[in-house]
Amino acid sequence: ILQCFKALCCKGPPPPRPEYDLVCIGLTGSGKTSLLSQLCSESQENIVSTTGFSIKAVPFQNAVLNVKELGGADTIRKYWSRYYQGSQGVIFVLDSASSEDDLETARNELHSALQHPQLCTLPFLILANHQDKPAARSVQEIKKYFELEPLARGKRWILKPCSLDDMDAVKDSFTLLIHLLEERELEPSRM
């Protein structure tokens, strides 16, 4: 019995969870800050648009994601690429209920990111946010409009619907991203 007790109690601290550095991009108003704050269990009150960037450590059961969220205003977007270095994955948040113009801008920004030399080999989690709004487009419509199939062929990307109403689905999407990050770590490094 003592042996059994020792085995249970004396294991020492759990092994540290792996940490991954991610960049989170998307237009202003797509919901990046709200989603990340909710994932960190922070208050949803007084959320303001991110100007510049902010960094959040988002804890999950099997990993910690250090997410660098970049502001989405057009004056800031031209500097996004300065913050890409060292990223191991990308979260792209889009407002699935936005105007045609904004959707087109989001598409162009996503295309640029998918083709950027520092990001093009990384896993992408694309979140079609605001699915709870009446004007929201379905994931199928977004996949087609964003021309993801031909553009992202051979890349690791996940496109998921989301809204703040269903944080379990958001967490599931992040779990899928963590699996892609883990798989990427196991690959022999491409020189």
Side-chain angles (χ1 to χ4, degrees), residues 23-147:
V23 65
C24 177
I25 53 179
L27 305 191
T28 297
S30 58
K32 302 180 294 298
T33 309
S34 300
L35 284 170
L36 293 172
S37 297
Q38 190 100 329
L39 284 170
C40 293
S41 308
E42 294 172 358
S43 163
Q44 289 297 296
E45 285 171 36
N46 311 324
I47 283 190
V48 292
S49 275
T50 303
T51 50
F53 72 95
S54 71
I55 296 177
K56 281 190 184 346
V58 187
F60 284 89
Q61 208 174 343
N62 51 348
V64 176
L65 304 181
N66 296 314
V67 182
K68 191 188 299 168
E69 179 203 341
L70 306 183
D74 46 6
T75 49
I76 301 170
R77 289 201 302 270
K78 55 178 176 262
Y79 301 112
W80 276 359
S81 59
R82 294 186 183 183
Y83 297 95
Y84 290 166
Q85 200 169 352
S87 299
Q88 294 166 284
V90 182
I91 303 156
F92 189 95
V93 183
L94 63 98
D95 176 1
S96 49
S98 68
S99 69
E100 289 294 326
D101 284 355
D102 281 352
L103 210 60
E104 189 170 341
T105 306
R107 178 175 69 178
N108 294 339
E109 293 294 352
L110 178 59
H111 284 202
S112 298
L114 282 164
Q115 292 164 324
H116 192 278
Q118 285 178 318
L119 304 183
C120 61
T121 59
L122 304 181
F124 272 71
L125 171 59
I126 304 161
L127 293 173
N129 197 13
H130 299 151
Q131 285 292 314
D132 48 334
K133 291 187 179 173
R137 296 157 186 87
S138 71
V139 165
Q140 271 56 47
E141 290 173 289
I142 283 169
K143 191 185 217 173
K144 194 173 169 188
Y145 181 81
F146 275 69
E147 299 167 328

